[in-house]
Structures are given as C-alpha cells and as structure tokens.
Amino acid sequence: MILTKVQYDEIAQCLVSVPPTRQSLRKLKQRFPSQSQATLLSIFSQEYQKHIKRTHAKHHTSEAIESYYQRYLNGVGRNGAAPVLLELANEVDYAPSLMARIILERFLQEHEETPRKKVFCHPPLCRETYVGKSLS
C-alpha cells in the first residue's frame, strides 16, 4: 500500500506522545494495521532521529552535562545495581547510548590519565569504575 503524506503525518503525530520502545511500535501496528511493520519501523526511526538532532544542543551544554553527571553519580551511589543511565536518558528524553557517551566523556575529564581514544576503542580500560560497569 502506498503511504500518503497525510498518513505519514498522522503516524508521526502519534509518535510524539509515545516513548521510543518496542511496545510503542506494537501499539502503532495496532493503530495502523494497513501499514507494514517495516514501514512503521522506518517512520519510527526517522522521527526519533529528527528528535535527537533537534535536541542534541540542549543536552550538550556544560550545565546539562554537569547535571547529568551528578545525577548519574548520585543514582549509582544510592543503588549501584540500578539502570541509572537508562533511567536518566528516559527521563530527559535522550538516546541511552548518547547519554552514556556524555557521562563517559565527563568521567574522562576527571580522569585524564587514560586517553579518551583508548577507552572508546578498548572499553575494558574503564570496567572497574561506576561508568564502566554501567556501559558493560
């Protein structure tokens, strides 16, 4: 079935109100049964990418980075087994992988003895820290 601009916009509008999860994708499939799973996944991915690109600068201010880092440290300090990175990323509506990168880069600013490139290329160098355990 050919997707019209109106249908695309309707699907995209539905995505605004749902978190980017697999369950949300299932709900979309129920709401738009005439569209294939691949079509919905493609729209879902495009709209999420647009959202990340629009909000990227907001999450990379020095105030935001410091706030995320302190919230991460506080969360890990309270409960080291909790999925702090995932919860923080979901709370601020940002991709968990990108949030992990923000936290790791901020951590490396404090611990300059290990060059950043080495840690990104070889993550076991960072495994013994709170950040390393969250990333593994």
Side-chain angles (χ1 to χ4, degrees):
M1 176 178 177
I2 295 176
L3 185 68
T4 66
K5 172 81 169 115
V6 173
Q7 290 170 322
Y8 182 96
D9 291 341
E10 187 180 351
I11 294 169
Q13 189 60 39
C14 286
L15 290 173
V16 171
S17 62
V18 297
T21 63
R22 289 188 179 127
Q23 283 182 320
S24 299
L25 198 54
R26 286 186 204 110
K27 289 177 185 176
L28 273 181
K29 183 63 179 161
Q30 290 172 352
R31 180 142 184 218
F32 302 98
S34 63
Q35 299 303 325
S36 71
Q37 183 83 9
T39 298
L40 294 174
L41 180 59
S42 178
I43 295 169
F44 188 86
S45 297
Q46 285 177 334
E47 292 302 314
Y48 191 64
Q49 278 183 339
K50 286 179 191 176
H51 168 73
I52 294 300
K53 287 178 181 180
R54 274 193 311 268
T55 61
H56 178 81
K58 174 179 95 171
H59 296 290
H60 284 269
T61 64
S62 56
E63 296 84 18
I65 291 170
E66 192 59 33
S67 169
Y68 298 156
Y69 187 64
Q70 291 308 315
R71 289 169 65 185
Y72 169 79
L73 291 178
N74 291 338
V76 169
R78 281 192 302 271
N79 182 358
V84 179
L85 273 174
L86 184 59
E87 291 170 356
L88 180 58
N90 287 338
E91 186 179 316
V92 299
D93 199 19
Y94 201 55
S97 59
L98 296 175
M99 180 60 71
R101 185 177 183 112
I102 288 171
I103 299 297
L104 181 58
E105 286 178 340
R106 175 60 183 84
F107 170 81
L108 291 173
Q109 284 177 352
E110 281 184 11
H111 302 86
E112 278 298 319
E113 67 274 0
T114 306
R116 289 181 192 180
K117 186 172 182 173
K118 274 191 175 179
V119 173
F120 281 113
C121 293
H122 192 64
L125 290 174
C126 185
R127 286 244 195 286
E128 295 307 313
T129 65
Y130 287 138
V131 174
K133 289 176 184 175
S134 294
L135 296 176
S136 58

